[in-house]
Amino acid sequence: MSNQEQPTGLISWADFEKVMLCAGTVQRVEDFPEARKPAWKLWVDFGPHGVRKTSAQVKTLYRAEDLVGRQIVGVINFPPKQVGPVRSEFLLTGFPTEEGVVITTLERPVPNGTRMA
């Protein structure tokens, strides 16, 4: 089956390889009072990819002290996006639930910057 014949919604392995899903450790969390929905500002160390900042609407399930030191999964190759006064440099991944977004975390530590395969 060629790429043109694939049912809608399927992607190729080459498409998946374009997405840089990487592990990083949350270094710092600050309140984001200007956000429309309750959110945190997070600084995450992605090892060789540097420390990157984002905003995340995860305040309903996570306190700042719950996040610092945790390893998360982020997409680091989206273009930066301006979110109010915050320049978001990566996308924090998670799963929406009725209670709020559950952050994608790692079951055991890996080096910061390790890419998901």
Side-chain angles (χ1 to χ4, degrees), residues 41-104:
K41 292 186 270 189
L42 284 81
W43 285 261
V44 176
D45 180 0
F46 287 102
H49 308 291
V51 174
R52 298 183 183 213
K53 180 171 65 170
T54 197
S55 66
Q57 295 174 353
V58 296
K59 222 174 176 182
T60 55
L61 293 181
Y62 300 94
R63 299 173 303 163
E65 56 268 26
D66 296 332
L67 294 171
V68 174
R70 273 185 112 157
Q71 267 198 316
I72 57 84
V73 177
V75 177
I76 65 168
N77 65 333
F78 281 136
K81 179 180 178 182
Q82 198 68 37
V83 182
V86 175
R87 186 169 171 85
S88 182
E89 300 169 326
F90 76 95
L91 172 70
L92 179 66
T93 62
F95 299 90
T97 70
E98 288 183 18
E99 294 79 33
V101 175
V102 176
I103 296 171
T104 308

